[in-house]
Amino acid sequence: MVRAGEDPIPTGRAPGGTGPVSFRERFLQGEPVETGVRTSILDSWRRCRILGLSPDQSDLPFREDFEPDGRIVRAAVPVLDRLQATFAGSAMNISVADASGTVLLRRFGEASLARILPAIQSVPGFVFAEKVAGTNGIGLALAERQPIRVYGAEHFAERSQGSACRALPVRDPLSGRIEGVLCFGYPRTAEDPALDTVIRKAAETIERRLLEQSSSRERALLRAYLDSGAEAAAGFRHRMGVRELAVETSPRDRAILKEKAAELIACAQRACVDVPLSDGRRVTLVSRPMTSASGVEGFAIEAVVPGPSPREPLAFPHQVREPLGLPAELAVATSLTFSGAGPDVAPGQLHVTPPSEYLPGTEHGPVAVGVERVTADGTTDEHSDSPPPARGLMMVGEPHVGTYALAARRRLELLSEAGVRIGTTLDVRSTARELAESAVPQLADFVTIDLPEAVLRGEESADPRSDLRRTVVHGIHDDCPFHPVGKQVDYGPTMPQSRCLTSGQAVLEPDLKAAAGWFGQDPEHSAQLLSHVHSLIAVPLVARGAVLGVAGFYRAQDSPPFGDDDRSLAQELAARAALSIDNARRYTRERAMVLALQRSLLPHGVPDQDAVEVAHRYLPAESDVGGDWYDVIPLSGTRIGLFVGDVVGHGMLSAATMGRLRTAARSFAELDFPPDEVLTHLDKLVGRLDREDPGAVDAGIIGATCLYAIYDPTTQQCTMARAAHPPPALVRPDGTVWFPDLPAGPPLGLGGLPFEAAELDLPENSQLVLYTDGLIEDRHRDVDVVLDQLRATLSQANGTPDETCQAVLDTVAPTHPCDDIALLVARTHALDPQRIATWDLPADPALVSEVRASATRQLTDWGLDEAAFAAELVLSELVTNAIRHGAGPIRVRLLHDRTLICEVSDTSNTAPHLRRAASTDEGGRGLFLVAQLTQSWGTRYTQQGKVIWAECELEGA
């Protein structure tokens, strides 16, 4: 049998050793049972085992002192009589138990059952609490605090194996407390899905009758008030109720008046409060104790409104002589729609003044109000002949009902406040802490939150019960011995936390000392904890079907235990917080993915070169990852290219765009384009990306800034160009810092505007500092002040570039960066002039042999005899090509660095091209030989012409 939204119920004894009988026997024999048994039943079996109950136990405790005519009995008797008539002739056993599990009423569909059944199943007074009777309908409904069904072998006791039962807690509609349990017992062969509806409607009827009992007490108080003649005392000419006052007040003012009236009832003392209204008038609420003829004690709240003046008329359309009925005229506290406190009263507080201090009168009898007139300027005239103030009943009630109303308002206020406080950040730990801070001390004295390690990383946990980590501990003080933050927490299967994670519902343990399984996991630690706390609500953090963790709400020893309303409030708080935690988890995951993509697209190291000593840092923004990037690119002729750029926007698209832009920038740089031409090519690329993805324009992603610098260690000159990027900082060897005034250039992607390059002299051991705007721009700081801080930091940075990077981030970078920061520091070096050889010669083929001879001698001086053969062939081919196809004068340069670099320059712009010569061709094999003999070769253009270069690898380099 399977019903919608429920687990299947195995019916009868299944053949072949399967079904509930088999599972129960396996459990009793100590074998693990994880599947095949409903969670609530398995949890109950485990608690029974911990309590040491025996399935063969047949006797139960019997109480003779139970109240045979209590509230729950008076409310349930007519309902059970109708149920008995409904099930007449059947084997139905209907019972009502109190909140302790003691059976108070019994009814039978067949009268003979009362004589046939054993006493524990037919006589009121026996206790069916789970801790003494094992798994049964009444005990499990009280333990789980929800509708329950137990079938056949799911009962723990042997005596109940042939029975089935359904049980439902019955609650007081005002307080929400469980007053008792309604239970249907029947043979297991009589299982009927329609019983769900019958028992639910019967329980609702009993709860309505409980409310009627409270209403009758309120009616008695109202009658006592009317019989007292208070409305005619002290010359009051007008008597009004809530409806009459509503004519002159706004809905918000009416809600405030009702709220204050409920607070006065809850105070349970003679008092009055002056309530200011939104239009500047004030209404005085006066509380008077009342006792009905039947002995019901309560308070009546009267509203006193100053009498009308000529300038400020206050009229009531008609006078009411009798109440219009309880629902309309008597505002029961639970039916109030609460609003915020008045302007002079803080929410959650009520300042009351004894009537003797506020209004003249005596301790006994009606309160008299002095006759005064309120003038247009707000002053009073005590000697005026103005009519007396209007006065009338606004609310009557018992103090405990007002207390329930106040508690309901506090819960609403807490939920409203939590909605604002929880989820202000997209950090999992911060959101969890916001949940704890919202609940303490309004709901709980201590809160612990445990989340799986996977959730903290932004992932989903495969088994949230196996890798829980203590994430938050928060309370009214810090000496409670909870597990510290960061410790792995393990909960046994009978612990409330495990049960709530399994069921997906909050688990309430009003008294931890009586909670089965509480001491089983860690008796020593549990005993220490019980010296500080005594009541617990364990709530699973579930969002979008994923279990994110568990929250524990505790109350200290001097606080009242939790109730069902507290459990509902804790579950609502946890549900709201779980959504925020899940949002933070998803954001953490996405941010980690974007950050991983970003870091994978950035350089993973520094290339081997001797031109500069380089260090770099990348610091992502706290809120999101952007498109900042940097690069270090070795170029021909021992030069080095340094890039820093910033793609507009944040997220995955910005990171991907950054990767495309960096790849293109590296390609353009390796073609030996000067900085201004590289930026021109990048500008065209960004414009093309913009056109290819029109949606990216609306998202504000496409667009970028960039700075590109080329440093030549042979001349110690640096050529730079920037596209709307912050200028670099240059530090001379003597510590002087300046920011060169480079042509700004437009951002990449605008198109049509040129870029300009500038050349600067950088002596050896100078520092070139490139950065993105996230380092200096912050909405809380002035850019000029930050640049001064950067200047001061760099002037004192005498260490390595890595130390300089760290010093800049420590002193200049914002504490909570809202944008990415890319930082690149390069300390310049100069190539030793002794490692540079240069020859200038005219375009004469006869001089090729002299060049080869001079180069051979130079290589011998450098100790590079092994490279002489390749160098001679390369120089011979390059010089011959320059003489034959270029224009003089011709310059030959050898550079001894990590490799041997051969350069031949001339004044023409024609570049050679490598081709594969046919077998019949007389030429075309020279560059092929150069490519075979060298590590790499290429062409770069200068303002005077071009340079053909080739690098020969050196042995041992």
Side-chain angles (χ1 to χ4, degrees):
M1 179 181 300
V2 182
R3 302 184 190 91
E6 295 185 348
D7 297 330
I9 301 177
T11 58
R13 291 178 178 267
T18 62
V21 175
S22 174
F23 288 123
R24 178 174 175 273
E25 292 176 353
R26 287 169 51 192
F27 177 83
L28 294 177
Q29 293 173 4
E31 298 180 15
V33 178
E34 300 298 336
T35 59
V37 181
R38 290 182 292 135
T39 301
S40 58
I41 300 299
L42 183 58
D43 289 341
S44 180
W45 287 356
R46 288 168 173 165
R47 292 194 294 268
C48 294
R49 173 189 286 170
I50 292 174
L51 291 169
L53 299 180
S54 171
D56 299 326
Q57 181 179 352
S58 58
D59 56 334
L60 294 178
F62 180 79
R63 291 180 53 191
E64 296 181 353
D65 58 344
F66 68 91
E67 188 175 4
D69 192 32
R71 292 182 65 232
I72 185 68
V73 173
R74 295 197 304 272
V77 165
V79 179
L80 263 64
D81 289 343
R82 288 196 297 271
L83 289 173
Q84 185 177 25
T86 301
F87 292 106
S90 69
M92 183 66 69
N93 181 347
I94 309 167
S95 59
V96 170
D98 63 13
S100 66
T102 303
V103 176
L104 306 177
L105 292 172
R106 289 281 193 185
R107 294 289 189 275
F108 302 95
E110 178 62 48
S112 61
L113 290 176
R115 299 185 298 270
I116 299 175
L117 293 175
I120 60 173
Q121 295 181 348
S122 59
V123 178
F126 285 95
V127 180
F128 280 82
E130 185 187 62
K131 62 182 179 181
V132 295
T135 306
N136 69 91
I138 294 175
L140 193 52
L142 290 173
E144 297 288 336
R145 311 181 76 84
Q146 61 183 346
I148 209 72
R149 50 188 170 84
V150 184
Y151 183 88
E154 292 180 336
H155 289 87
F156 190 76
E158 291 287 351
R159 64 175 179 271
S160 303
Q161 298 298 292
S163 303
C165 62
R166 292 177 179 273
L168 189 67
V170 177
R171 303 177 186 272
D172 185 335
L174 291 181
S175 66
R177 292 196 301 260
I178 293 179
E179 293 290 330
V181 176
L182 174 63
C183 182
F184 289 178
Y186 45 89
R188 66 183 184 187
T189 56
E191 180 70 34
D192 188 349
L195 291 176
D196 278 337
T197 303
V198 175
I199 193 171
R200 176 176 53 82
K201 290 185 176 180
E204 290 174 352
T205 304
I206 296 175
E207 290 174 348
R208 282 198 303 270
R209 291 182 56 81
L210 288 173
L211 182 60
E212 290 174 0
Q213 292 181 22
S214 298
S215 300
S216 64
R217 297 168 66 90
E218 301 286 352
R219 290 192 186 96
L221 288 175
L222 177 61
R223 176 54 56 188
Y225 173 83
L226 297 176
D227 292 343
S228 68
E231 67 275 14
F236 290 109
R237 301 177 183 177
H238 295 82
R239 186 165 67 82
M240 64 180 180
V242 176
R243 290 184 176 179
E244 282 65 47
L245 186 61
V247 175
E248 292 292 327
T249 57
S250 66
R252 175 176 173 79
D253 289 338
R254 293 197 299 273
I256 293 175
L257 289 171
K258 291 180 181 180
E259 177 184 332
K260 297 308 173 188
E263 291 184 10
L264 281 172
I265 292 176
C267 288
Q269 60 180 334
R270 291 176 59 90
C272 65
V273 61
D274 195 26
V275 182
L277 304 182
S278 59
D279 57 2
R281 296 178 299 134
R282 310 181 82 85
V283 174
T284 302
L285 298 181
V286 182
S287 66
R288 299 176 58 244
M290 303 295 302
T291 303
S292 70
S294 60
V296 179
E297 296 182 352
F299 281 80
I301 307 300
E302 297 171 317
V304 179
V305 182
S309 65
R311 300 182 184 180
E312 294 187 2
L314 179 62
F316 296 95
H318 61 277
Q319 298 184 15
V320 181
R321 294 301 180 188
E322 293 296 335
L324 302 180
L326 180 65
E329 199 64 31
L330 180 59
V332 179
T334 53
S335 66
L336 296 183
T337 301
F338 291 106
S339 180
D344 295 339
V345 182
Q349 298 179 347
L350 176 66
H351 177 71
V352 295
T353 306
S356 60
E357 299 179 12
Y358 195 89
L359 298 174
T362 61
E363 182 178 357
H364 302 285
V367 179
V369 180
V371 179
E372 63 180 17
R373 179 169 61 87
V374 181
T375 62
D377 59 359
T379 61
T380 60
D381 183 2
E382 297 182 357
H383 304 287
S384 172
D385 294 331
S386 301
R391 176 189 187 103
L393 177 66
M394 186 169 190
M395 184 182 294
V396 297
E398 296 177 271
H400 70 276
V401 177
T403 302
Y404 299 151
L406 290 180
R409 191 193 74 176
R410 301 291 190 270
R411 289 192 289 270
L412 290 176
E413 290 176 348
L414 177 57
L415 288 175
S416 177
E417 180 185 356
V420 176
R421 294 185 60 179
I422 299 176
T424 59
T425 68
L426 287 172
D427 179 76
V428 174
R429 290 180 173 85
S430 298
T431 305
R433 184 159 191 87
E434 288 168 351
L435 166 60
E437 292 173 348
S438 298
V440 175
Q442 292 91 334
L443 173 62
D445 296 319
F446 301 94
V447 175
T448 63
I449 299 178
D450 306 318
L451 301 178
E453 189 68 29
V455 172
L456 296 175
R457 295 193 306 265
E459 305 168 2
E460 289 189 10
S461 177
D463 185 4
R465 291 173 294 180
S466 62
D467 61 343
L468 288 173
R469 295 264 176 195
R470 180 58 46 86
T471 306
V472 173
V473 176
H474 182 66
I476 55 177
H477 49 77
D478 299 330
D479 59 349
C480 200
F482 291 105
H483 291 303
V485 173
K487 179 179 175 59
Q488 184 170 358
V489 183
D490 296 321
Y491 294 112
T494 58
M495 296 287 285
Q497 288 84 348
S498 290
R499 288 157 51 199
C500 80
L501 287 173
T502 302
S503 65
Q505 299 294 322
V507 173
L508 168 62
E509 292 291 356
D511 185 4
L512 285 175
K513 292 182 180 179
W518 175 253
F519 291 93
Q521 182 73 16
D522 189 348
E524 181 178 355
H525 180 262
S526 299
Q528 293 177 356
L529 202 57
L530 282 184
S531 64
H532 294 77
V533 299
H534 72 105
S535 190
L536 164 68
I537 301 175
V539 188
L541 298 173
V542 182
R544 302 179 180 94
V547 179
L548 305 176
V550 61
F553 300 85
Y554 296 84
R555 279 191 176 167
Q557 293 289 354
D558 55 351
S559 299
F562 286 116
D564 286 287
D565 287 340
D566 299 317
R567 179 180 66 169
S568 299
L569 177 59
Q571 184 145 349
E572 178 65 22
L573 277 177
R576 297 188 180 192
L579 284 175
S580 297
I581 291 175
D582 191 50
N583 290 337
R585 178 192 66 82
R586 290 167 177 255
Y587 167 78
T588 300
R589 180 188 61 189
E590 292 178 2
R591 185 175 186 273
M593 293 171 58
V594 175
L595 188 57
L597 174 63
Q598 172 87 337
R599 294 193 182 279
S600 68
L601 296 175
L602 291 174
H604 296 286
V606 178
D608 295 331
Q609 46 80 36
D610 295 326
V612 292
E613 181 183 354
V614 180
H616 49 77
R617 293 288 191 278
Y618 171 74
L619 185 64
E622 282 193 349
S623 59
D624 206 348
V625 179
D628 290 17
W629 58 283
Y630 58 88
D631 208 347
V632 179
I633 306 172
L635 302 176
S636 63
T638 70
R639 298 172 306 143
I640 195 75
L642 304 174
F643 270 109
V644 168
D646 184 4
V647 176
V648 175
H650 296 85
M652 187 74 74
L653 183 55
S654 284
T657 304
M658 177 275 293
R660 300 170 72 179
L661 195 61
R662 175 181 171 249
T663 301
R666 173 175 281 270
S667 299
F668 295 143
E670 290 179 343
L671 291 175
D672 273 326
F673 291 144
D676 53 336
E677 291 189 25
V678 170
L679 295 185
T680 300
H681 288 293
L682 291 177
D683 179 64
K684 295 179 181 179
L685 171 66
V686 173
R688 184 166 63 254
L689 294 177
D690 195 353
R691 292 188 298 272
E692 291 175 354
D693 189 5
V697 178
D698 298 333
I701 297 296
I702 301 301
T705 66
C706 183
L707 188 150
Y708 180 38
I710 297 177
Y711 173 70
D712 189 345
T714 63
T715 62
Q716 301 179 38
Q717 285 189 333
C718 184
T719 305
M720 304 183 194
R722 64 187 181 113
H725 199 84
L730 301 178
V731 186
R732 292 190 175 93
D734 60 0
T736 304
V737 181
W738 90 101
F739 299 92
D741 187 16
L742 301 178
L748 299 178
L750 291 183
L753 298 176
F755 297 95
E756 298 181 44
E759 287 191 359
L760 301 173
D761 291 328
L762 288 184
E764 187 174 10
N765 290 323
S766 298
Q767 287 195 95
L768 177 61
V769 182
L770 311 180
Y771 52 87
T772 55
D773 57 1
L775 178 67
I776 61 173
E777 294 182 5
D778 185 78
R779 58 178 175 267
H780 303 297
R781 303 186 301 171
D782 184 81
V783 174
D784 293 334
V785 174
V786 177
L787 289 177
D788 290 340
Q789 293 177 349
L790 179 59
R791 186 192 307 273
T793 301
L794 293 177
S795 64
Q796 300 174 2
N798 299 320
T800 64
D802 190 77
E803 294 171 344
T804 301
C805 282
Q806 194 60 47
V808 169
L809 291 182
D810 292 341
T811 59
V812 181
T815 306
H816 302 284
C818 57
D819 195 7
D820 291 20
I821 297 175
L823 178 63
L824 186 67
V825 177
R827 185 185 299 277
T828 63
H829 298 300
L831 186 61
D832 188 353
Q834 300 298 324
R835 289 177 167 243
I836 304 175
T838 305
W839 299 275
D840 293 320
L841 62 151
D844 184 358
L847 298 177
V848 174
S849 59
E850 295 183 8
V851 171
R852 290 201 304 266
S854 299
T856 301
R857 288 192 295 270
Q858 184 62 61
L859 294 176
T860 300
D861 294 340
W862 286 342
L864 302 178
D865 294 327
E866 69 282 357
F869 176 74
E872 285 185 18
L873 288 178
V874 169
L875 286 176
S876 177
E877 179 61 31
L878 295 183
V879 172
T880 300
N881 281 343
I883 294 173
R884 180 175 300 177
H885 305 289
I890 298 173
R891 167 169 290 189
V892 178
R893 189 169 70 158
L894 292 181
L895 303 176
H896 180 196
D897 193 38
R898 293 174 177 264
T899 59
L900 177 63
I901 302 173
C902 304
E903 294 183 346
V904 176
S905 59
D906 60 68
T907 58
S908 73
N909 291 322
T910 58
H913 297 281
L914 179 66
R915 66 185 180 89
R916 184 176 297 275
S919 58
T920 57
D921 290 342
E922 296 182 359
R925 297 176 177 83
L927 286 181
F928 180 79
L929 292 175
V930 171
Q932 296 298 314
L933 293 173
T934 60
Q935 180 175 308
S936 60
W937 73 278
T939 304
R940 70 172 181 269
Y941 293 93
T942 64
Q943 295 180 352
Q944 297 79 22
K946 68 175 184 298
V947 177
I948 311 296
W949 57 269
E951 289 189 13
C952 299
E953 187 174 1
L954 300 178
E955 294 184 6

